[in-house]
């Protein structure tokens, strides 16, 4: 990308690892995001705790970070996966508990689909653990084809029994 784009990254962890507890891992991951080349960390939500969705294991700790980046979506995804690898991320099966999960949620209003990346993230509009911290950063943000973050959040809160709350 030649001009800077606004990107949102979802962070989650529910297992301890080389960077400590899930909380500590998210703090360290935020610090790692702040060092990405051609990018700058703009905002970070507070910490949220949620039950696993379509998964088992202990509760997840979640945050959303906003970056300004000149990296292409694929290059940014490569950087995020590199951070996950450094944090000991393993993928033994779909939705396995994890030491760190970094999801590229959106890059501006880009609609992108390749075999390894879909933007906006295809399930972000259904997940409280994404929508609650994202609404903290920008409730008027439009998720292409879905509406604003605030509208998606209200719909999920009204229709599902997911549990997500700010961490104490």
């Amino acid at each position: 990308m030649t001009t800077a784009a606004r990107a949102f990254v979802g962070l989650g962890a529910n297992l301890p690892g080389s960077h400590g507890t899930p909380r500590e891992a998210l703090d360290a991951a935020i610090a790692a995001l702040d060092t990405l080349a051609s990018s700058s960390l703009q905002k970070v939500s507070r910490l949220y705790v949620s039950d696993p969705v379509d998964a088992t294991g202990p509760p997840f700790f979640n945050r959303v970070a906003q970056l300004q980046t000149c990296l292409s979506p694929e290059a940014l995804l490569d950087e995020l996966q590199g951070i996950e690898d450094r944090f000991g991320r393993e993928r033994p099966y779909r939705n396995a508990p994890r030491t760190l999960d970094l999801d590229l949620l959106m890059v501006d209003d880009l609609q992108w689909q390749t075999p390894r990346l879909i933007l906006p993230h295809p399930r972000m509009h259904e997940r409280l653990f994404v929508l609650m911290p994202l609404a903290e950063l920008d409730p008027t943000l439009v998720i292409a084809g879905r509406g604003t973050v605030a509208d998606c959040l209200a719909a999920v809160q009204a229709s599902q029994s997911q549990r997500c709350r700010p961490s104490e």
Side-chain angles (χ1 to χ4, degrees):
M1 302 183 90
T2 55
T3 60
R6 185 167 71 151
F8 292 91
V9 177
L11 299 88
N14 71 336
L15 292 178
S18 60
H19 289 81
T21 67
R23 273 180 203 248
E24 292 166 337
L26 293 188
D27 289 343
I30 294 294
L33 290 175
D34 198 25
T35 66
L36 288 179
S38 301
S39 303
S40 65
L41 185 64
Q42 301 292 301
K43 296 180 193 176
V44 180
S45 74
R46 63 187 157 163
L47 193 67
Y48 288 79
V49 180
S50 65
D51 292 334
V53 175
D54 299 330
T56 59
F60 272 87
F61 289 85
N62 303 97
R63 298 179 92 167
V64 170
Q66 178 184 324
L67 303 172
Q68 199 72 17
T69 186
C70 291
L71 297 173
S72 72
E74 294 273 348
L76 182 53
L77 180 63
D78 289 340
E79 293 292 330
L80 298 178
Q81 289 178 341
I83 294 169
E84 287 178 338
D85 291 344
R86 290 194 304 275
F87 278 63
R89 169 76 189 265
E90 295 179 3
R91 293 172 172 83
Y93 55 89
R94 182 174 162 82
N95 295 329
R98 56 206 75 146
T99 56
L100 182 64
D101 185 26
L102 299 177
D103 287 328
L104 183 53
L105 302 172
M106 296 179 63
V107 177
D108 283 338
D109 58 357
L110 184 63
Q111 294 184 21
W112 181 281
Q113 187 163 352
T114 67
R116 69 183 286 246
L117 179 62
I118 299 172
L119 293 174
H121 189 286
R123 291 172 302 285
M124 67 181 284
H125 67 283
E126 303 170 343
R127 307 291 200 215
L128 281 180
F129 61 83
V130 171
L131 293 170
M132 289 178 76
L134 191 54
E136 184 182 318
L137 300 182
D138 187 350
T140 65
L141 181 69
V142 175
I143 302 170
R146 304 294 180 181
T148 67
V149 168
D151 290 342
C152 292
L153 177 57
V156 172
Q157 287 176 319
S159 68
Q160 296 187 8
S161 60
Q162 293 179 33
R163 292 189 333 195
C164 184
R165 61 179 168 66
S167 177
E168 298 169 0

